[in-house]
């Protein structure tokens, strides 16, 4: 049995403005390889909670799949893994971070969007999959059940867009493997880059210097990014272990620059540090990226395979360290550098073809990029939302089986007093959290749920340190 204590929150209304893309019909005579698709980079990260410390470094999108499609995305970069709790469930990931969103839930959202927006027979949605062999096989089963075809490279190589559409079924959605696409990622094109490289003879990688840099990271993490001391120390150790000697020396120089400014929570002016170019205050990183993009499209002319193009800031150890110093993030870097806004202008001058153009923050000027690539117009859409009132359900035992419980039926729930079997943990964590984690209160409840889930599976006598370790593994 499961006991829920639900409660009402004070009603509130939120307003959000997005620019939706109304695209012209696609040119179906083009090769699929030459057809333009605005592509949402790490699309599932839109479901990462914004108050998670890892969102600073791993959150590439800020909106749902449906909103990303509204904003002009017609290809979604999906990175899969089996659930740590039950391998029969597929969830998403970005690097070390697991995203608590079921693959089946994502497919349902994408299909519902297509059903509501299926008035253009030339409008194809491409789901680009990355994952282990087992995850891909499982995805194919779920796709087949929803009548979404999986196309192998032979199904679209040398084919026109119309020939691919003919295989796409009534929904005009196809799924393909990322390994069949030419990827063109390059870490040199990050928001923060060396200016110029600091001579490695100017610093020594010894324990004393490492201790100093760890202390620096802990300070900037707490003062600038509002991390706890424990979070800053853990992240600092993670970054220090990932630095090459050149970046190590640049970070040392940045820490000296920070000490000279002593912002202590105020705005840190990266422009005064001469060891890096930063995209928010200097044009050099963006000029380099656009040169790379132009060269990349030129190189693509000799390929028969679909082609990805990087038009986002790569996350490197140096750029993420600078983000921590500035209290910034991947999405803030994109917005403050006006990267997508400028990409929309740049793609008009780039040679064709432009195939899969990947962007972060696709709802920030993504509609303008999509229209620049394919033609059409953008419209301003203002939405308001407020939570629905929930019934009084204290001590309600209506739901005898957690598998039949839908969190969407309730605005919130409290798991602190819940009693459930170990077998129900997957449904609790990976289904129920989804509808509540968009709010701060809901996110706290999910965190409480995860700690409850850990204690539910621990044998008697296991210490707190081990419990915390297991909780970390469950989360990531």
């Amino acid at each position: 049995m499961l006991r829920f204590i639900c409660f009402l929150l004070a009603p509130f209304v939120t307003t959000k403005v997005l620019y939706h893309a109304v695209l012209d019909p696609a040119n179906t005579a083009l090769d699929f390889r030459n057809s333009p698709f605005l592509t949402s980079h790490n699309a599932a990260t839109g479901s990462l909670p914004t108050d998670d410390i890892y969102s600073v470094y791993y959150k590439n999108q800020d909106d749902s799949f449906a909103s990303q499609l509204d904003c002009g995305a017609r290809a979604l970069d999906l990175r899969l893994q089996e659930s740590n709790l039950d391998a029969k469930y597929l969830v998403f990931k970005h690097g070390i971070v697991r995203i608590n969103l079921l693959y089946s839930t994502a497919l349902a959202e994408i299909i519902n969007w297509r059903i509501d927006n299926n008035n253009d027979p030339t409008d194809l949605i491409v789901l680009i999959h990355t994952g282990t062999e087992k995850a891909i096989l499982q995805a194919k089963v779920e796709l087949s059940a929803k009548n979404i075809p999986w196309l192998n490279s032979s199904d679209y190589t040398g084919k026109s867009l119309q020939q691919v559409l003919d295989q796409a079924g009534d929904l005009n959605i196809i799924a393909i493997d990322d390994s069949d696409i030419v990827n063109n990622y390059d870490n040199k094109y990050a928001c923060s880059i060396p200016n110029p490289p600091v001579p490695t003879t100017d610093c020594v990688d010894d324990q004393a210097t490492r201790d100093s840099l760890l202390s620096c990271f802990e300070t900037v993490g707490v003062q600038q990014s509002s991390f706890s001391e424990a979070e800053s120390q853990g992240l600092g150790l993670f970054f220090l272990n990932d630095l090459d000697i050149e970046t190590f020396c640049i970070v040392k120089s940045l820490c000296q620059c920070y000490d000279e400014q002593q912002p202590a929570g105020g705005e840190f002016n990266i422009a005064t540090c001469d060891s890096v170019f930063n995209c928010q205050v200097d044009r050099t990183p963006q000029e380099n990226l656009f040169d790379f993009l132009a060269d990349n499209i030129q190189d693509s002319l000799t390929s028969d395979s679909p082609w990805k193009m990087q038009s986002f800031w790569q996350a490197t150890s140096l750029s993420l360290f600078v983000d921590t110093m500035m209290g910034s993030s991947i999405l803030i870097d994109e917005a403050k550098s006006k990267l997508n806004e400028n990409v929309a202008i740049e793609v008009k001058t780039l040679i064709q073809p432009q195939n899969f153009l990947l962007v972060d923050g696709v709802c920030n000027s993504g509609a303008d990029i999509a229209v620049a690539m394919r033609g059409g117009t953008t419209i301003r859409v203002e939405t308001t939302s407020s939570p629905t009132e929930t019934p009084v359900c204290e001590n309600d035992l209506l739901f005898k089986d957690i598998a039949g419980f839908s969190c969407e039926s309730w605005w919130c729930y409290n798991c602190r007093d819940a009693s459930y079997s170990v077998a129900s943990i997957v449904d609790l964590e990976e289904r129920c959290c989804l509808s509540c984690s968009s709010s701060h209160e809901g996110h706290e409840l999910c965190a409480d749920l995860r700690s409850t889930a850990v204690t539910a599976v621990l044998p008697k006598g296991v210490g707190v340190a081990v419990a915390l370790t297991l909780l970390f593994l469950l989360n990531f």
Side-chain angles (χ1 to χ4, degrees):
M1 291 290 190
L2 177 66
R3 182 160 66 92
F4 288 93
I5 302 176
C6 295
F7 50 90
L8 290 173
L9 296 181
F12 61 89
V13 175
T14 58
T15 301
K16 185 172 185 177
V17 175
L18 291 177
Y19 289 86
H20 291 185
V22 180
L23 299 177
D24 287 344
N27 182 353
T28 58
L30 288 175
D31 283 353
F32 175 70
R33 155 70 188 82
N34 295 336
S35 298
F37 294 92
L38 177 64
T39 305
S40 175
H41 179 227
N42 273 307
T45 58
S47 295
L48 274 176
T50 55
D51 58 350
D52 190 303
I53 61 169
Y54 286 93
S55 291
V56 173
Y57 310 118
Y58 289 94
K59 189 173 177 64
N60 302 96
Q61 303 299 331
D62 207 20
D63 296 276
S64 67
F65 288 108
S67 291
Q68 292 174 42
L69 292 166
D70 281 335
C71 293
R74 288 299 180 268
L76 303 174
D77 171 22
L78 306 177
R79 307 186 185 192
L80 303 178
Q81 74 170 57
E82 304 92 74
S83 164
N84 290 343
L85 294 176
D86 190 328
K88 73 175 180 286
Y89 291 99
L90 279 180
V91 292
F92 295 90
K93 70 170 186 175
H94 178 197
I96 65 169
V97 174
R98 187 187 66 174
I99 302 166
N100 276 332
L101 175 67
L102 289 175
Y103 179 64
S104 56
T105 301
L107 288 182
E109 182 180 347
I110 294 165
I111 290 171
N112 287 338
W113 185 91
R114 169 50 85 203
I115 291 172
D116 292 337
N117 299 270
N118 202 17
N119 56 347
D120 179 1
T122 73
D123 195 38
L124 181 68
I125 296 174
V126 183
L127 309 180
I128 303 173
H129 290 67
T130 304
T132 64
E133 182 177 356
K134 182 178 178 181
I136 294 297
L137 287 173
Q138 191 169 334
K140 289 179 178 179
V141 172
E142 296 196 36
L143 288 162
S144 177
K146 296 184 181 296
N147 297 316
I148 297 176
W150 181 280
L151 300 192
N152 297 315
S153 59
S154 58
D155 296 320
Y156 50 76
T157 300
K159 302 288 199 304
S160 69
L161 177 59
Q162 184 59 58
Q163 289 174 308
V164 174
L165 282 164
D166 291 341
Q167 303 174 70
D170 294 338
L171 293 171
N172 276 359
I173 304 174
I174 64 170
I176 63 177
D177 196 320
D178 181 76
S179 63
D180 293 328
I181 303 176
V182 178
N183 284 273
N184 296 280
Y185 300 143
D186 194 321
N187 282 339
K188 291 198 301 290
Y189 304 102
C191 177
S192 293
I193 58 176
N195 166 39
V198 176
T200 55
T201 53
D202 290 354
C203 68
V204 179
D205 183 357
D206 56 17
Q207 191 57 49
T209 306
R210 283 185 167 268
D211 290 344
S212 173
L213 296 189
L214 178 59
S215 176
C216 169
F217 191 96
E218 291 176 16
T219 298
V220 300
V222 171
Q223 292 184 351
Q224 304 302 117
S225 292
S226 301
F227 298 156
S228 69
E229 291 184 7
E231 289 168 344
S232 291
Q233 184 178 48
L235 289 170
L237 289 169
F238 177 81
F239 279 121
L240 283 177
N241 289 333
D242 195 43
L243 300 183
D244 57 32
I245 185 62
E246 179 184 56
T247 308
F248 185 89
C249 296
I250 295 172
V251 168
K252 179 183 177 182
S253 173
L254 288 171
C255 286
Q256 292 171 344
C257 182
Y258 186 87
D259 288 342
E260 291 170 2
Q261 284 194 39
Q262 295 184 329
E267 185 173 348
F268 174 61
N269 185 6
I270 190 67
T272 66
C273 305
D274 58 9
S275 56
V276 295
F277 288 122
N278 178 263
C279 68
Q280 294 188 27
V281 297
D282 193 278
R283 286 284 303 174
T284 301
Q286 197 160 132
E287 290 171 354
N288 290 349
L289 177 59
F290 286 159
D291 287 344
F292 170 70
L293 186 59
D295 291 343
N296 189 260
I297 293 177
Q298 183 68 48
D299 292 342
S300 75
L301 299 177
T302 61
S303 174
D304 294 327
S305 299
W307 195 269
K308 277 186 179 180
M309 296 170 287
Q310 173 189 335
S311 54
F312 58 86
W313 299 124
Q314 278 286 1
T316 64
S317 295
L318 176 60
S319 66
L320 297 181
F321 185 85
V322 174
D323 278 348
T324 306
M325 300 184 84
M326 298 175 66
S328 190
S329 67
I330 289 173
L331 289 172
I332 293 174
D333 285 344
E334 185 284 312
K336 288 195 172 181
S337 66
K338 298 184 178 180
L339 179 58
N340 286 355
E341 184 179 327
N342 291 325
V343 167
I345 298 170
E346 192 74 13
V347 295
K348 295 177 182 178
T349 66
L350 293 172
I351 61 172
Q352 299 294 332
Q354 298 162 20
N355 201 193
F356 291 103
L357 185 72
L358 279 79
V359 301
D360 289 338
V362 75
C363 282
N364 185 25
S365 297
D368 292 333
I369 300 174
V371 168
M373 294 176 72
R374 188 168 129 182
T377 187
T378 61
I379 58 174
R380 187 180 190 272
V381 178
E382 185 174 297
T383 59
T384 58
S385 62
S386 59
T388 57
E389 290 191 356
T390 62
V392 177
C393 56
E394 185 171 355
N395 298 321
D396 194 328
L397 299 179
L398 175 63
F399 302 102
K400 297 180 181 180
D401 181 358
I402 185 62
F405 176 77
S406 170
C407 283
E408 294 178 358
S409 302
W410 312 91
W411 204 86
C412 58
Y413 60 92
N414 189 334
C415 299
R416 291 181 177 87
D417 298 312
S419 173
Y420 54 90
S421 66
V422 173
S424 297
I425 292 175
V426 170
D427 290 278
L428 277 165
E429 182 182 1
E430 295 190 4
R431 291 183 184 177
C432 293
C433 273
L434 300 178
S435 59
C436 301
S437 61
S438 60
S439 69
H440 179 71
E441 293 84 0
H443 182 54
E444 286 186 338
L445 293 175
C446 287
D448 177 74
L449 169 60
R450 284 192 282 266
S451 62
T452 306
V454 171
T455 57
V457 298
L458 286 176
K460 291 183 178 180
V462 174
V464 174
V466 175
L468 289 173
T469 301
L470 287 174
L471 177 58
F472 179 83
L473 293 174
L474 282 173
N475 279 316
F476 304 108

